[in-house]
Amino acid sequence: MPPHPDGPATRRAIGPARAGRRVLRRPRVILAALLAVLAVSAGLPVAGPAHAAPAVNYTNPLVNQRADPHIVRHTDGYYYMTATVPQYDRLVLRRATTLQGLATAAETTIWSRHTSGEMGAHIWAPEIHYINNRWYVYFAAGRTDDVWRIRMYVLENASANPLTGSWTERGRITTPWDTFSLDASTFVANGVRYLTWAQQEPGISTNSNVYIARMGANPWQITGTVTRLVVPTYDWETRGYRVAEGPAVVQRNGRLFLTYSASATDANYCLGMLSASATANLLDAASWSKSPTPVFTSNAATGQYGPGHNSFTVSEDGQSDILVYHDRNYRDITGDPLNDPNRRTRLQKLYWNADGTPNFGIPVPDGATPVRLRSHDLASSYIRHYDYRARVEPNVANLADSQFRIVNGLAGGGTVSLESTNFPGYYLRHRGFALYVEKSDGSFLFGGDASFQRRSGLADGAGLSLESQNYPGRYVRHRDGLLYVEAVSTSAERGSATFHLE
C-alpha cells in the first residue's frame, strides 16, 4: 500500500520532529478512512473470530530460494508446501505438522520437466489441492523448443500421502484462447468449484489478466462462461510489465477477497485485491469491486521488496489466517529478475478490520513475527504508536503502528523489550513515566527504560502485564487513552495494565 501519512516512508523522509508536527495537522479521521483501502486475499475457512485470534509465532524467512509458495493444511494434520524452484525444472513438495516445521522438512521432487516438447521448460507456480479424495497439482510450463509458450497443466495422485504414489499427467487446462496462461488456482464458494488464473487475451495489450470460470466434471477442465476479472490499468499494476497474475481467494464475513500480483517481478511486484459478496454471481464481473490501491507492497524500513504471489493457510490452532508469500531482502537486481534466485517464502498473520475487510499491514522484518497487544478492559483497543507517543486505540488502520516484536530485553536479566515493526530499532520506552516509541541510543538508561519483566496478566492470567525493569512495582497501563508506567492497586487499574497477545 502507499505510505500512510504517519507511516515509515513519510516519517523517515521528513524526520521525527517534522513528522510529528505534520501528523498533528492532519485529521485523525484519515486513519478510519483508510480502513476501506486495506484488504486481502485467498480462500480458506478458519474457525473463530479472526480479530480475537491468539498470536502466532513464526520466523522469517521460512524457506530460502522458493518463490510462488502454496501451503495447504490437510485433514491428516499435515501442512503441504510446494513452490517454484529457481532452476524452473521440477516440482517439489514437503510436509510438516507445523508451519515452522516446513522450514526444515525434507523436500521431495514429485515430477521433473520433460526432456523435449511440451512441459519441458519454465516449470512455474505449482499449487497443491485435495479434490474428490485425490491430490492435484496445478502448474505452468513452457516447451523445450519455445520456453515462453507457457500453458497450465495438472497432475493427479490417488495416494493418501502425496509424497508417495505416482503422479499422472492429466494434461493441459483448455481455455478459450491458446495463449500465454499460468497461475491456476481453485476454490469452492456456495458448493461450486471455480478455477481462477492469469492469461494473455488476444486484443488486449497486457501481459496477463485474471479470469474465473466454473470447474467441469474433472478438476483439470473448465466449463461454461469465462469471465475477465482484472485488467492491469493502474500505475502500480503496470510498472515494468502490464501484469495481473497469481490469483488467490479467501472467504470470510460473508465476502470473498481475491488477491492478485501486479507489475514486474522485482521491487515493483505487489498485491492488488478484488472483493465480492459471498451470495453474488461470481461469474458476473460487476459483482467484484477492485481496490484502487495495492494492499501489500515493498517496504524499505523492514527491508522487504517485491512481496507477491501469495496463498493463504491457517494457523495450527485454526484461529488465524496466515498470509504466505515471497519477496527478496534487497531492492536492486542485476539483470532479469527471473534469473535472480533469491525470492524467499515468508509467513505472517493476516488481520481483519472491524468492517470485515482484511488488513495485510506491511511485510514484516525478517526474524520473529510480531504481535499485537489488545487491552483487557478495552477489548477492541490495541497498543499503538501515533506521533511516536504510545497509546491504546481501536480500529488501527495503519496496522504496523500496532505491531511489536517481543525480543530479549535491552537491559538483559530475563527482561523483554517491544520493538516497533515499522520502525525497526525503535522500542517502547518510558520517559518521565510516559511511554513512547523511540530509537535506541544504546545507552544504559535507554536499555532500562525499554525493558520490562513479563508477568502473568494482573487482571487475567491468560494475558500479560509488563513491569518496568528500572522501576519495579510500576506497570505499563493505559490512562485516558495514553500509556504510562504506574503503580496499580485497584481492580480497574489491574484491568488497564493487562493485555492479550494477538
Side-chain angles (χ1 to χ4, degrees), residues 102-390:
L102 291 169
T104 54
E107 189 173 79
T108 299
T109 296
I110 61 171
W111 181 89
S112 295
R113 67 178 180 87
H114 291 187
T115 56
S116 64
E118 204 171 21
M119 291 186 279
H122 281 166
I123 310 304
W124 287 349
E127 288 200 7
I128 185 166
H129 296 271
Y130 192 71
I131 304 169
N132 298 332
N133 299 313
R134 291 174 183 262
W135 291 99
Y136 293 90
V137 170
Y138 296 81
F139 66 101
R143 295 178 56 92
T144 56
D145 54 358
D146 187 353
V147 298
W148 293 106
R149 189 177 172 83
I150 308 292
R151 303 293 185 269
M152 300 177 292
Y153 300 90
V154 183
L155 304 180
E156 180 187 72
N157 189 336
S159 300
N161 177 0
L163 290 169
T164 65
S166 60
W167 288 90
T168 301
E169 295 176 2
R170 289 303 184 188
R172 182 159 68 92
I173 299 175
T174 302
T175 69
W177 316 283
D178 184 17
T179 60
F180 180 88
S181 55
L182 70 170
D183 298 347
S185 185
T186 183
F187 66 95
V188 175
N190 293 322
V192 176
R193 180 168 291 279
Y194 296 89
L195 188 80
T196 181
W197 71 97
Q199 187 161 10
Q200 189 174 61
E201 181 179 342
I204 300 179
S205 58
T206 57
N207 297 92
S208 60
N209 311 311
V210 171
Y211 299 85
I212 189 173
R214 283 187 179 227
M215 296 297 296
N218 298 308
W220 57 88
Q221 298 171 326
I222 61 173
T223 185
T225 302
V226 169
T227 302
R228 185 192 319 117
L229 294 182
V230 182
V231 175
T233 55
Y234 289 116
D235 172 70
W236 53 270
E237 297 174 305
T238 58
R239 292 172 181 158
Y241 296 98
R242 301 172 66 84
V243 168
E245 63 183 16
V249 173
V250 66
Q251 305 176 51
R252 181 179 285 283
N253 306 322
R255 299 169 70 182
L256 283 83
F257 303 94
L258 183 149
T259 52
Y260 62 94
S261 300
S263 290
T265 56
D266 52 18
N268 292 306
Y269 211 48
C270 61
L271 291 183
M273 190 184 72
L274 306 179
S275 61
S277 168
T279 59
N281 175 9
L282 301 182
L283 298 178
D284 180 358
S287 297
W288 298 85
S289 61
K290 179 180 178 180
S291 172
T293 56
V295 294
F296 203 52
T297 65
S298 295
N299 190 283
T302 63
Q304 308 300 326
Y305 298 93
H309 204 115
N310 71 292
S311 61
F312 295 87
T313 188
V314 295
S315 59
E316 289 79 357
D317 62 9
Q319 295 191 61
S320 295
D321 294 295
I322 305 299
L323 174 65
V324 183
Y325 64 99
H326 74 236
D327 75 3
R328 294 182 178 89
N329 63 349
Y330 51 89
R331 183 191 65 188
D332 298 325
I333 298 170
T334 301
D336 188 339
L338 284 176
N339 296 328
D340 181 288
N342 294 319
R343 292 178 289 179
R344 312 95 46 80
T345 295
R346 307 182 87 247
L347 305 173
Q348 63 189 70
K349 181 169 177 171
L350 178 66
Y351 290 89
W352 294 85
N353 296 313
D355 66 357
T357 59
N359 193 330
F360 289 91
I362 62 175
V364 298
D366 283 351
T369 49
V371 299
R372 303 179 82 194
L373 290 90
R374 178 173 56 85
S375 171
H376 176 74
D377 58 346
L378 299 176
S380 62
S381 293
Y382 295 82
I383 292 180
R384 61 88 50 92
H385 61 85
Y386 188 93
D387 191 22
Y388 299 97
R389 182 70 164 91

